[in-house]
């Protein structure tokens, strides 16, 4: 049995090492070598925010702030007030020039429908603002950089939107592609990704929708169903796993029983040596007469523990003086004791 266990474990470990070596060779030779990274200068001739561009393509990442070096301006997101602030350097401090509010959250309780700004960027003399809600609505606004004076004494100058395009998706990032003159928006849905394309060939003031694409990310169950449509492979693997688990449990329980038996045999051998016995007896060699003698000895021992007592009743009657304290006739009504 021990040899069978050792051979089974050796075969299992060998299969694991073989599969691991094959996968390592496949990953080393099957994957193409990574392309060298070429640092490309940011195309700032058109005033587009350089944070959107990666070395080998367009990076779709949400920007919480953006900087326009020609004018020394910053566009930052204020998620609490659902607005985008336009800032400019003023000596050692920053001065707020204007604000564009994406949604008014005061007095509202439908927090999932509030359109909050998620990304901002500069393009020429315009500000691109992407706002999205937690549900399935978003919009991209082209905002001018010329603030409108506010009439309120404690208010601030506002920025007006020149063009707005709405979408029925939860978008979280966008980027501009100067070559194709398109704005790419990306969003997530429960089953994959949503891609929305906006064309600015006629200028940012006249942006228009040019395409809408959806990508479904296959789940693990769908991949298994595609590779094994009838489920035969999955059933075979499940049966083998259960069978292997039962075999392992059988070996473990058998070894555990033998180990316990060996421990008990060792204890009995030690006890017989301490008592002076030269020969070791097995548990199966004990006869019924021996058990009867042991039981009689235990009974005699327990009987000797108790002292013999005389069965004499020692109850003595004590005479007491009569008292009318609990006499019954005093508790009766005189009406019943009077005879008529």
């Amino acid at each position: 049995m021990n040899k069978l266990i050792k051979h089974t474990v050796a075969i299992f470990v060998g299969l694991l090492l073989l599969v691991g070596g094959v996968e390592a060779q496949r990953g080393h030779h099957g994957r193409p070598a990574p392309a060298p990274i070429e640092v490309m200068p940011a195309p700032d001739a058109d005033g587009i925010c350089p944070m959107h561009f990666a070395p080998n393509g367009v990076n779709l990442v949400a920007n919480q702030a953006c900087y326009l070096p020609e004018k020394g301006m910053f566009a930052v997101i204020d998620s609490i007030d659902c607005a985008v602030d336009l800032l400019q350097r003023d000596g050692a401090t920053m001065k707020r020039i204007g604000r564009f509010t994406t949604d008014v959250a005061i007095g509202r309780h439908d927090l999932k429908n509030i359109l909050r700004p998620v990304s901002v960027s500069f393009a020429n003399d315009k500000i691109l603002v992407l706002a999205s809600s937690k549900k399935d609505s978003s919009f991209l606004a082209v905002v001018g950089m010329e603030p409108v004076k506010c009439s309120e004494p404690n208010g601030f100058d506002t920025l007006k939107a020149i063009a707005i395009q709405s979408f029925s998706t939860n978008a979280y990032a966008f980027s501009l592609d100067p070559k194709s003159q398109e704005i790419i928006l990306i969003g997530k849905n429960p089953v994959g990704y949503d891609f929305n394309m906006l064309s600015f060939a006629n200028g940012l003031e006249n942006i228009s929708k040019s395409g809408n694409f959806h990508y479904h990310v296959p789940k693990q169950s769908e991949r298994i169903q595609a590779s094994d449509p009838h489920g035969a492979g999955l059933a075979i693997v499940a049966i083998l796993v259960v069978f292997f688990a039962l075999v392992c449990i059988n070996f473990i329980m058998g070894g555990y029983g033998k180990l316990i038996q060996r421990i008990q045999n060792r204890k009995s051998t030690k006890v017989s040596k301490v008592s002076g016995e030269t020969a070791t007896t097995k548990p199966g060699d004990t006869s019924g007469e021996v058990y009867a003698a042991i039981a009689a000895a235990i009974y005699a021992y327990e009987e000797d523990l108790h002292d013999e007592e005389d069965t004499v009743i020692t109850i003595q009657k004590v005479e007491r003086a009569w008292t009318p304290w609990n006499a019954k006739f005093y508790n009766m009504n005189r009406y019943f004791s009077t005879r008529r």
Side-chain angles (χ1 to χ4, degrees), residues 314-323:
T314 57
I315 299 175
Q316 296 180 359
K317 185 178 181 181
V318 179
E319 295 182 358
R320 295 181 181 177
W322 179 84
T323 174

Side-chain angles (χ1 to χ4, degrees), residues 57-255:
V58 179
N59 191 11
L60 296 172
V61 179
N63 293 325
Q64 297 295 315
C66 198
Y67 176 55
L68 187 61
E70 288 80 5
K71 297 183 179 181
M73 292 183 177
F74 294 87
V76 297
I77 290 177
D78 186 355
S79 59
I80 298 176
D81 293 339
C82 299
V84 175
D85 295 333
L86 182 62
L87 309 178
Q88 190 175 23
R89 290 182 179 179
D90 187 7
T93 60
M94 300 296 294
K95 179 181 179 182
R96 182 168 61 185
I97 300 176
R99 164 175 286 191
F100 173 72
T101 303
T102 58
D103 202 343
V104 179
I106 299 176
R108 291 181 57 176
H109 302 282
D110 52 342
L111 299 179
K112 293 183 179 181
N113 295 324
I114 296 177
L115 293 166
R116 301 182 184 276
V118 293
S119 183
V120 64
S121 177
F122 283 111
N124 295 335
D125 56 345
K126 306 293 188 299
I127 304 173
L128 300 180
V129 178
L130 176 63
S132 179
S133 66
K134 291 184 178 180
K135 281 191 174 181
D136 54 355
S137 60
S138 60
F139 71 85
L140 180 70
V142 180
V143 183
M145 299 176 61
E146 296 179 359
V148 178
K149 297 296 181 180
C150 183
S151 59
E152 299 180 1
N154 297 328
F156 44 82
D157 298 340
T158 58
L159 301 175
K160 296 296 183 179
I162 302 174
I164 295 178
Q165 285 290 339
S166 301
F167 305 94
S168 59
T169 181
N170 184 8
Y172 66 90
F174 73 95
S175 182
L176 288 87
D177 187 5
K179 296 181 179 180
S180 61
Q181 293 185 348
E182 286 184 334
I183 302 175
I184 306 170
L185 291 90
I186 184 171
K188 283 187 177 182
N189 56 50
V191 296
Y193 293 90
D194 294 327
F195 297 93
N196 296 282
M197 307 296 181
L198 293 176
S199 175
F200 59 95
N202 298 326
L204 293 174
E205 299 84 357
N206 300 315
I207 56 175
S208 59
K209 297 180 181 180
S210 59
N212 185 10
F213 306 96
H214 301 279
Y215 174 68
H216 175 67
V217 178
K219 298 181 180 179
Q220 187 66 23
S221 59
E222 296 175 353
R223 295 177 181 178
I224 295 175
Q225 184 179 2
S227 60
D228 187 14
H230 300 289
L234 183 61
I236 294 173
V237 171
I239 293 171
L240 291 177
V241 169
V242 174
F243 179 75
F244 181 74
L246 292 175
V247 171
C248 293
I249 292 173
N250 187 17
F251 288 154
I252 292 171
M253 297 303 294

